[in-house]
């Protein structure tokens, strides 16, 4: 055994370490959570932790029982006796075979850490439940006043570090405006606050900013980072999606002050609430923000599984502050999350379908009425568009008479022809309907509706009994349905047009014997494959799995295919029908109906409404004038002579196109989606089935709560949950103070940082719940604190003692977020468009940014008001993020992000000088300055205030005046360059260019992009 240093030497090491660092531990009171667990978690738990699958030598150190256990005569920890503890011996050892952590791990304990472990063992090796898994208790603040200040200053007093003075009023209003609304104040707003001497002037400012619609926009952007919001699907093709209504819901909910527990429940399970409103269904878009792979060769069910993996990880980060994703492949190596519990969480979220939700406007009734009226008008106009052949009909009659005669002649011929081939179709109601994946449900009209999971190759099998004898043909009607993508009739939701299908094979059996077809026809076929890959109903009976029938281009309308038998079925009592759908993407039918006839005249499918078909079976004498007019209308809609005139009518007959958004919809009880534990996290290795459940280390499932998404959401925001309120308050705190009380915002587990002010974090968490989960109230509490209002100015001594400002003895100073950088420039220049909500827009950005993405799509910049909307509304393409935001560390929307990186790079300075948005902002501000009456000093003061809020000093005015004069002289001699830089407007060209250059310089200042 290696030699062990005497305990007193180790104790001296601890004392030395405490003197050497302001963050050293007081060895008179070792705290397991604060001092010991971080050491064990970082260095030991990977091999001796919660996961039995990777536990070395059967030894675990994450529990006291495990640490004290006698294994082959060896105890890792002997309370009170470091010299007899194998743990102490091994961390002191220099023998490579005995040393812990082993050298191959790349980890090595510091002398101070070793001393802490020895002292902990000496004190009896007490363990404690991880602080984050204990329900927070609200300790009374140390002193009266704002409780935040009481906790912060008690810690500062302990560290003998005084707080900073309050920032000046110009700094305060800029800081507060940027934090609460994401926009700086105007000079007029700043002046009004600075001149308001009332004791409650600051509180009034807080209330005004929080009541602004801009508040919801600012805080929605932070939430969208967690929601991994983007306007495209991601992966290779990265096509556009419509989910902006979810973004607008977030803005509205935050502005309305929706309690966070309700905010959570509606996003996780809004569709499951009683009498769910449209807004509550829109809210479920939170988990529809996952990426969607549209590549032709993928299995859609595999990528649905990966989407579920993303949803579990996102939920863990957003509400629990845990790295739940680490338990996908095995039990978590550090945190108490088992492999089974991971899939129990997945089961909570897994039983949902993913439809598009139509969002008709509030005046949809009036719109539909106008649409119907327009359709009637266009139908009434058709007879007047009938072509006239004067040579045949003679020139003695009027054009109107000739047209009417020609029309009546053609109509009579059409009636005769159509009656000759009109047959009676008998709808068959299946006694059995099954498939390899989707659920086939028989509807009241005997049609079949398919729902659930669709694959690249689905097979439907139907059985019919007591069918008529002598069947000569089978008709397949493909029907529209509002529940389907694009209103159906197919289920295609990506790659091809929404609502399309691709029928590869149509196979009929009679009494278990195959039935041959003579031919097949269709009412419409959409040839999306071009001449080389035609589509037709005939190709669905050719035995070739690469060919078939599609109605691409007719989404939302009904069509049919007729399959004529080679010989009538004389004795059949039972029919079996097999339909195979296959493509590179899900291409099955969503709603369809089967009918048969015994009439040998059934030879062709035809594009005709059901009511017209029935009228054709009546003799002329039996038709009413209205029925005859209806048949005449059907004739006009079927003729080639009026094909051009019918285009608008066809569009009007289709279901109305409304904005859509992506939502969740719980599956019906008869078709639940099972969830399995997947061996090693592989989607192809499902093992035993698991049911929805929570994490055992946290609060139990709420009593009476259903075992579904709704129950799961209630579990997340239960007051008994020790994590959610802490995680949310820590995240909100970081937005105001630059970092969280727990630095690892997305990880409150064993590998995360301990809170710098644990009592304050717990006080905030409890207060949050007690105040009805009100984010707005907690924001106000934070910004009203003296801690928040401190000046960010510092001294060398303060920097050396607390370089990261963890003790909060001064106000934080940090670079603004990407969107705020752009929006601030737009506001300063007067270009910003103050409009809330709506479709995403495309402001200008450098050429070629998006052309590296699949298909080399062009970025066609918007004009008008959309060019200068707030950055929150910029179209977000995952594979080609907006260049400016990417430069300033904005997320791509590919994954949940709890905390953005904050970098400072030369590229950012170049963007501020040269990006088109900043050039346009500088030109607009320069134009305004050139047109402003008054002296140069007055205009410099205006420019300074609009970009930086505070008044400039005399020295700053002098420097800027000199800069302006130099620029004006330069541009006076370089007219071509001046024209490129200056926007049109009043004043001399050189003046305009010089003012633009000055605005450009101000917008590039560090102070312009920094919150201090």
């Amino acid at each position: 055994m290696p030699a062990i240093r005497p305990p007193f030497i180790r104790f001296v090491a601890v004392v030395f370490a405490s003197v050497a660092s302001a963050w050293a531990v007081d060895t008179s009171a070792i705290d397991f959570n604060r001092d010991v667990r971080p050491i064990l978690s970082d260095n030991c738990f990977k091999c001796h932790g919660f996961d039995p699958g990777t536990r070395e030598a059967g030894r675990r150190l994450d529990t006291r029982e495990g640490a004290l256990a006698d294994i082959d005569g060896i105890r890792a920890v002997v309370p009170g006796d470091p010299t007899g503890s194998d743990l102490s011996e091994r961390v002191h050892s220099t023998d490579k075979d005995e040393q812990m952590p082993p050298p191959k791990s790349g980890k090595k304990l510091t002398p101070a850490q070793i001393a802490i472990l020895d002292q902990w063992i000496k004190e009896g090796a007490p363990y404690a439940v991880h602080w984050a898994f204990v329900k927070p208790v609200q300790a009374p603040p140390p002193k009266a006043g704002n409780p935040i200040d009481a906790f912060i200053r008690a810690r500062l007093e302990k560290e003998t570090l005084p707080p900073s003075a309050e920032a000046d009023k110009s700094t305060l209003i800029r800081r507060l405006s940027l934090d609460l609304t994401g926009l700086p104040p105007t000079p007029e707003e700043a002046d009004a606050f600075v001149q308001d001497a009332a004791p409650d002037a600051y509180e009034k400012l807080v209330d005004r900013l929080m009541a602004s619609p801009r508040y919801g926009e600012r805080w929605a952007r932070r939430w969208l980072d967690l929601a991994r919001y983007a306007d495209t699907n991601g992966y290779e093709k990265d096509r556009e999606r419509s989910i902006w209504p979810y973004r607008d819901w977030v803005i509205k909910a935050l502005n309305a002050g929706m309690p966070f527990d309700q905010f959570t429940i509606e996003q996780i399970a809004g569709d499951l609430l009683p009498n769910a409103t449209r807004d509550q269904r829109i809210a479920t878009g939170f988990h529809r923000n996952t990426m969607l792979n549209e590549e032709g060769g993928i299995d859609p069910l595999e990528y649905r599984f990966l989407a579920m993996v993303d949803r579990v990880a996102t939920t863990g980060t957003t509400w629990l502050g845990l790295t739940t994703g680490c338990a996908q492949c095995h039990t978590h190596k550090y945190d108490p999350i088992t492999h089974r519990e991971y899939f129990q969480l997945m089961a909570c979220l897994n039983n949902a379908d993913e439809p598009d939700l139509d969002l008709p406007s509030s005046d949809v009734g009036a719109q539909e009425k106008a649409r119907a009226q327009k359709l009637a008008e266009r139908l009434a106009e058709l007879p007047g568009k009938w072509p006239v052949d004067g040579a045949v009909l003679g020139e003695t009659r009027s054009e109107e008479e000739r047209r009417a005669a020609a029309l009546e002649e053609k109509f009579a011929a059409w009636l005769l022809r159509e009656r000759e081939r009109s047959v009676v179709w008998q709808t068959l109601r299946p006694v059995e309907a099954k498939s390899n994946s989707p659920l086939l449900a028989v509807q009241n009209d005997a049609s079949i509706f398919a729902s659930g999971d669709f694959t690249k190759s689905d097979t439907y099998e139907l059985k019919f009994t007591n069918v008529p004898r002598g069947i000569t043909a089978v008709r397949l009607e493909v029907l529209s349905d509002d529940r389907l993508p694009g209103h159906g009739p197919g289920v295609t939701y990506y790659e091809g047009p929404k609502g399309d299908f691709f029928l590869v094979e149509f196979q009929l059996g009679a009494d278990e014997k195959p039935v041959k077809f003579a031919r097949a026809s269709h009412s419409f076929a959409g040839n999306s494959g071009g001449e080389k890959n035609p589509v037709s109903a005939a190709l669905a009976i050719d035995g070739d799995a690469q060919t078939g029938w599609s109605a691409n281009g007719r989404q939302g309308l009904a069509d049919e295919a007729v399959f004529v038998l080679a010989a009538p079925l004389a004795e059949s009592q039972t029919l079996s029908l097999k339909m195979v759908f296959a493509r590179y993407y899900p291409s099955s039918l969503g709603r369809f109906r089967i009918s048969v006839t015994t009439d040998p005249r059934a030879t062709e499918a035809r594009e005709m409404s059901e009511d017209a078909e029935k009228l054709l079976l009546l003799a002329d004498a039996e038709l009413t004038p209205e029925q005859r007019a209806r048949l005449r209308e059907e004739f006009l809609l079927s003729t080639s002579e009026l094909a051009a005139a019918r285009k608008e009518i066809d569009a009007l007959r289709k279901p109305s196109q409304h904005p859509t958004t992506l939502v969740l919809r719980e599956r019906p009880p008869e078709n639940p989606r099972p969830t399995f534990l997947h061996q090693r996290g592989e989607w192809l290795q499902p093992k035993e089935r698991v049911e929805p459940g929570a994490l055992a280390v946290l609060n139990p499932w709420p009593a009476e709560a259903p075992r579904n998404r709704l129950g799961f959401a209630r579990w997340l925001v239960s007051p008994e949950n020790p994590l959610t309120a802490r995680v949310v308050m820590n995240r909100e705190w970081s937005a105001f103070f630059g970092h969280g009380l727990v630095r690892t915002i997305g990880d409150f587990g064993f590998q995360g940082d301990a809170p710098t002010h644990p009592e304050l974090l717990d006080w905030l968490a409890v207060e949050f719940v007690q105040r009805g989960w009100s984010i707005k109230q907690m924001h106000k509490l934070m910004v009203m604190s003296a801690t928040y209002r401190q000046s960010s100015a510092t001294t060398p001594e303060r920097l050396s003692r607390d370089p990261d400002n963890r003790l909060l003895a001064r106000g934080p100073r940090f670079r603004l977020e990407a969107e705020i950088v752009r929006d601030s420039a737009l506001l300063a220049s007067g270009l910003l468009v103050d409009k809330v909500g709506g479709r995403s827009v495309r402001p200008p950005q450098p050429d070629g940014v998006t052309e590296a993405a699949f298909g080399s799509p062009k970025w066609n910049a918007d004009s008008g008001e959309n060019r200068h909307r707030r950055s929150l509304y910029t179209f977000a393409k995952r594979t080609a993020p907006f260049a400016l935001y990417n430069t300033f560390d904005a997320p791509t929307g590919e994954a949940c992000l709890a905390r953005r990186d904050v970098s400072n790079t030369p590229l950012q300075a170049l963007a501020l000088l040269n990006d088109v948005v900043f050039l346009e902002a500088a030109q607009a501000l320069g134009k305004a300055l050139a047109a402003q009456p008054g002296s140069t000093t007055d205009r410099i003061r205006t420019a300074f205030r609009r970009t930086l809020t505070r008044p400039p000093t005399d020295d700053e005015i002098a420097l800027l005046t000199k800069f302006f004069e130099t620029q004006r002289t330069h541009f006076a001699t370089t007219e071509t360059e001046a024209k490129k830089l200056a926007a049109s407007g009043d004043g001399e060209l050189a003046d305009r260019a010089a003012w633009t250059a000055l605005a450009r310089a101000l917008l590039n200042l560090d102070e312009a992009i920094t919150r201090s």
Side-chain angles (χ1 to χ4, degrees):
M1 298 290 287
I4 300 176
R5 294 179 296 167
F8 76 89
I9 295 178
R10 291 180 233 136
F11 181 76
V12 169
V14 174
V15 174
F16 176 78
S18 67
V19 173
S21 170
W23 293 99
V25 176
D26 180 358
T27 55
S28 63
I30 293 287
D31 181 274
F32 178 77
N33 272 327
R34 181 191 64 200
D35 309 320
V36 180
R37 189 191 299 278
I39 299 173
L40 296 178
S41 180
D42 191 42
N43 297 279
C44 308
F45 286 176
K46 182 177 181 180
C47 300
H48 302 289
F50 187 66
D51 183 7
T54 57
R55 198 177 294 149
E56 295 284 347
R59 172 69 68 191
R60 64 184 300 184
L61 295 175
D62 61 318
T63 66
R64 194 168 195 268
E65 294 75 15
L68 271 56
D70 188 317
I71 299 178
D72 296 330
I74 298 174
R75 297 173 68 187
V77 172
V78 178
D81 184 11
T83 59
S85 299
D86 190 55
L87 172 64
S88 180
E89 180 178 348
R90 286 179 178 273
V91 297
H92 282 286
S93 175
T94 57
D95 186 326
K96 292 182 179 180
D97 294 329
E98 297 289 332
Q99 184 180 348
M100 289 292 165
K104 66 180 181 181
S105 71
K107 296 180 180 293
K108 184 176 178 63
L109 298 186
T110 66
Q113 289 174 320
I114 293 172
I116 288 172
L117 293 178
D118 285 347
Q119 183 65 19
W120 167 63
I121 295 172
K122 186 176 181 180
E123 292 179 4
Y127 272 72
V129 177
H130 184 52
W131 65 269
F133 302 146
V134 179
K135 183 181 176 182
V137 176
Q138 195 173 52
K143 294 179 182 178
N146 188 309
I148 291 174
D149 297 328
F151 285 112
I152 295 296
R153 293 191 175 179
R155 177 68 185 274
L156 289 175
E157 288 173 5
K158 184 178 179 181
E159 302 289 340
T160 65
L161 194 62
S164 296
E166 183 168 296
D168 63 83
K169 295 187 80 172
S170 290
T171 298
L172 281 180
I173 187 173
R174 181 176 175 84
R175 176 188 300 175
L176 195 64
S177 297
L178 289 168
D179 282 351
L180 291 181
T181 70
L183 293 168
T186 64
E188 294 74 21
E189 290 170 334
D191 289 341
F193 173 64
V194 170
Q195 293 163 15
D196 189 346
D200 63 345
Y202 182 78
E203 185 173 8
K204 288 188 298 184
L205 174 62
V206 172
D207 291 340
R208 177 177 68 79
L209 292 173
M210 294 184 73
S212 166
R214 293 170 169 177
Y215 170 86
E217 292 179 311
R218 186 276 187 278
W219 290 94
R221 181 57 265 178
R222 293 186 64 86
W223 183 258
L224 295 179
D225 283 10
L226 295 162
R228 62 267 191 250
Y229 175 86
D231 294 296
T232 59
N233 290 330
Y235 293 113
E236 180 210 28
K237 291 183 172 59
D238 198 25
R239 289 195 176 99
E240 186 171 344
R241 61 170 54 174
S242 176
I243 197 168
W244 57 267
Y246 165 75
R247 177 245 292 146
D248 288 0
W249 178 89
V250 174
I251 297 170
K252 184 166 67 172
L254 292 172
N255 274 330
M258 179 181 288
F260 185 80
D261 57 344
Q262 187 68 16
F263 186 69
T264 295
I265 289 170
E266 293 194 10
Q267 291 184 85
I268 298 290
D271 60 306
L272 290 172
L273 292 171
N275 303 311
T277 65
R278 186 171 79 170
D279 275 358
Q280 288 169 335
R281 296 178 67 192
I282 291 172
T284 62
F286 177 86
H287 270 319
R288 289 300 309 279
N289 280 304
T290 47
M291 295 199 296
L292 175 67
N293 196 334
E294 304 169 276
E295 293 180 63
I298 62 102
D299 188 320
L301 295 186
E302 176 185 6
Y303 279 86
R304 192 194 174 281
F305 174 79
L306 296 179
M308 292 307 306
V309 168
D310 167 74
R311 288 169 187 170
V312 175
T314 295
T315 303
T317 299
T318 302
W319 281 277
L320 301 176
L322 294 177
T323 55
T324 54
C326 293
Q328 177 191 347
C329 304
H330 47 71
T331 289
H332 205 296
K333 292 185 181 298
Y334 301 100
D335 298 338
I337 305 173
T338 68
H339 190 39
R340 172 174 288 275
E341 284 179 326
Y342 173 87
F343 287 100
Q344 289 176 182
L345 294 181
M346 182 179 287
C348 295
L349 300 169
N350 196 29
N351 192 39
D353 288 328
E354 303 179 1
D356 289 5
L357 177 65
D358 278 344
L359 301 174
S361 61
S362 57
D363 63 343
V364 65
Q367 290 180 358
E368 289 302 315
K369 186 177 180 180
R371 180 186 176 92
Q373 182 179 348
K374 191 172 184 179
L375 175 58
E377 291 172 355
R378 295 297 177 269
L379 288 170
E381 292 169 358
L382 283 179
K385 297 180 180 294
W386 190 266
V388 177
D389 189 341
V392 174
L393 296 175
E395 301 294 340
T396 59
R397 290 179 290 178
S398 68
E399 182 178 307
E400 185 176 345
E401 290 173 326
R402 284 184 278 128
R403 178 178 290 110
L407 185 55
E408 194 59 34
E409 181 181 331
K410 284 279 190 176
F411 177 44
W414 178 84
L415 273 177
L416 180 63
R417 184 174 66 253
E418 292 300 324
R419 279 181 172 144
E420 286 177 350
R421 62 182 188 141
S422 290
V423 301
V424 176
W425 290 98
Q426 178 180 336
T427 300
L428 297 184
R429 187 179 188 88
V431 296
E432 184 179 297
K434 61 182 182 180
S435 78
N436 61 317
S437 183
L439 173 70
L440 303 183
V442 181
Q443 309 295 293
N444 291 335
D445 63 354
S447 66
I448 295 93
F449 182 78
S451 63
D453 295 331
F454 298 87
T455 69
K456 293 186 297 183
S457 180
D458 286 322
T459 300
Y460 294 178
E461 295 183 73
L462 309 177
K463 182 179 288 186
F464 307 92
T465 58
N466 300 318
V467 298
R469 295 183 179 183
I471 293 173
T472 58
V474 179
R475 181 172 68 171
L476 167 63
E477 295 175 87
V478 298
L479 307 171
S480 65
D481 193 293
D482 290 343
R483 294 171 290 181
L484 299 172
H487 302 276
V491 301
T492 300
Y493 55 89
Y494 67 87
E495 182 69 27
K498 284 190 177 183
D500 194 17
F501 67 92
F502 197 87
L503 175 63
V504 171
E505 288 297 317
F506 189 88
Q507 300 171 348
L508 189 67
D511 298 332
E512 300 184 358
K513 296 178 181 179
V515 175
K516 291 184 178 182
F517 292 110
R519 58 187 176 277
S521 60
H522 52 257
S523 60
F524 179 86
N527 192 6
S528 60
E531 293 181 4
K532 293 183 178 180
N533 298 290
V535 294
S536 73
L539 294 175
I541 57 172
D542 64 351
D544 186 346
Q546 301 302 314
T547 63
W549 176 48
S550 165
N552 175 22
R554 293 269 294 178
Q555 285 72 29
L557 295 177
D559 283 296
E560 67 176 43
V562 171
F563 300 88
V564 180
L565 277 59
L569 295 180
E571 300 297 331
S572 175
Q573 292 297 312
T574 301
L575 282 184
S576 59
L577 177 62
K578 182 178 181 180
M579 293 191 291
V580 180
F581 303 91
R583 214 58 175 160
Y584 297 127
Y585 46 86
S587 57
S588 305
L589 272 171
R591 189 169 184 179
F592 61 96
R593 185 166 52 211
I594 301 296
S595 54
V596 296
T597 186
T598 58
D599 195 320
R601 295 176 301 161
T603 58
E604 291 184 20
R606 53 187 182 179
E607 185 182 340
M608 184 172 294
S609 63
E610 188 175 354
D611 66 320
E613 278 190 337
K614 293 178 180 178
L615 292 177
L616 285 170
L617 297 173
L618 301 176
D620 265 353
E622 298 177 279
L623 292 175
T624 66
E626 291 78 13
Q627 290 173 330
R628 187 175 178 83
R630 176 68 189 89
L631 285 174
R632 193 165 182 264
E633 180 183 288
E634 195 74 24
F635 156 68
L636 291 170
L637 290 171
S638 67
T639 60
S640 59
E641 288 88 343
L642 297 176
R646 288 206 325 267
K647 287 184 178 179
E648 184 180 3
I649 291 174
D650 286 345
L652 289 168
R653 292 169 71 195
K654 283 187 176 183
S656 297
Q657 297 298 309
H658 303 291
T660 63
T661 193
L662 308 179
V663 298
L664 294 177
R665 180 178 64 210
E666 195 72 354
R667 290 165 70 103
E670 63 271 16
N671 187 33
R673 179 185 290 113
T675 301
F676 299 90
L677 183 150
H678 289 252
Q679 183 71 22
R680 301 298 300 169
E682 288 287 343
W683 91 278
L684 287 176
Q685 296 192 49
K687 300 300 180 183
E688 65 269 24
R689 183 169 177 173
V690 297
E691 299 300 325
L695 301 181
V697 72
L698 302 180
N699 51 306
W701 197 273
E704 310 302 324
R707 291 279 175 168
N708 58 16
R709 279 182 292 122
L710 183 57
F712 179 58
R714 289 174 177 163
W715 174 77
L716 286 173
V717 292
S718 166
E720 301 304 311
N721 191 315
L723 282 172
T724 299
R726 277 188 178 119
V727 168
V728 175
M729 282 298 93
N730 188 63
R731 197 163 54 229
E732 304 306 295
W733 180 275
S734 73
F736 291 114
F737 294 94
H739 53 75
L741 296 169
V742 176
R743 278 295 182 106
T744 49
I745 291 175
D747 188 0
F748 275 48
F750 291 176
Q751 288 292 93
D753 286 359
T756 55
H757 300 75
E759 297 86 0
L760 172 57
L761 179 60
D762 283 5
W763 189 92
L764 289 169
V766 175
E767 189 73 9
F768 182 36
V769 177
Q770 290 179 349
R771 293 194 183 204
W773 297 87
S774 173
I775 290 285
K776 275 194 168 184
Q777 288 190 37
M778 299 308 292
H779 281 178
K780 182 173 181 179
L781 183 67
M782 291 178 191
V783 300
M784 289 296 296
S785 69
T787 303
Y788 174 81
R789 288 184 277 175
Q790 291 179 109
S791 169
S792 61
T794 189
T795 63
E797 180 189 1
R798 286 177 183 272
L799 281 175
S800 63
R801 293 193 59 188
D802 186 14
D804 295 331
N805 197 27
R806 301 189 73 181
L807 297 176
L808 295 166
R810 63 182 186 275
R813 187 177 189 276
F814 47 83
R815 203 211 67 221
L816 296 174
E817 295 163 26
E819 296 85 353
I820 300 179
V821 170
R822 176 177 175 270
D823 292 348
S824 296
L826 291 177
L827 182 67
S829 66
L831 291 177
L832 185 68
V833 174
D834 201 7
K835 174 185 174 183
V836 178
R839 295 180 184 274
S840 297
V841 299
R842 288 174 169 82
Q845 65 171 330
D847 293 337
V849 171
T850 60
E851 292 176 23
F854 177 86
S856 301
K858 296 285 186 181
W859 181 271
N860 297 315
D862 286 322
S863 58
E865 68 172 16
N866 286 343
R867 192 176 183 88
H868 299 124
R869 297 283 308 279
R870 282 198 75 167
S871 300
L872 170 71
Y873 303 112
T874 299
F875 186 88
K877 186 171 179 65
R878 282 179 161 126
T879 57
F882 193 71
L884 178 67
Y885 307 157
N886 197 41
T887 300
F888 282 89
D889 307 310
T892 64
E894 293 170 288
C896 172
L897 188 68
R899 182 180 183 276
R900 295 187 184 188
D901 292 331
V902 180
S903 66
N904 287 282
T905 69
L907 188 59
Q908 293 168 356
L910 290 172
L912 292 172
L913 276 176
N914 301 309
D915 189 279
V916 62
V917 68
F918 291 101
L919 182 57
E920 288 183 357
Q923 289 172 334
L925 182 52
K927 176 182 175 181
L929 294 171
Q932 177 182 318
S935 66
T936 298
T937 298
D938 290 339
R939 287 184 274 187
I940 287 175
R941 192 181 302 275
T942 296
F944 197 95
R945 296 290 310 281
R946 286 174 67 166
T947 51
L948 305 180
T949 306
R950 67 177 177 85
T953 65
D954 291 343
D955 286 345
E956 287 167 334
I957 290 176
L959 285 171
L960 290 171
T961 301
K962 182 178 180 181
F963 176 82
F964 170 73
E965 295 295 347
T966 302
Q967 295 299 311
R968 184 166 58 179
T969 300
H970 167 72
F971 287 121
T973 58
T974 54
E975 184 174 326
T976 301
E977 189 176 338
K979 285 180 179 178
K980 289 181 181 179
L981 185 61
S984 61
D986 298 330
E988 184 186 346
L989 178 62
D991 269 3
R992 295 202 310 272
W995 285 119
T996 298
L998 183 134
R1000 203 176 180 193
L1002 288 171
L1003 291 172
N1004 199 283
L1005 290 175
D1006 177 74
E1007 188 175 347
I1009 63 168
T1010 302
R1011 191 286 231 167
S1012 59

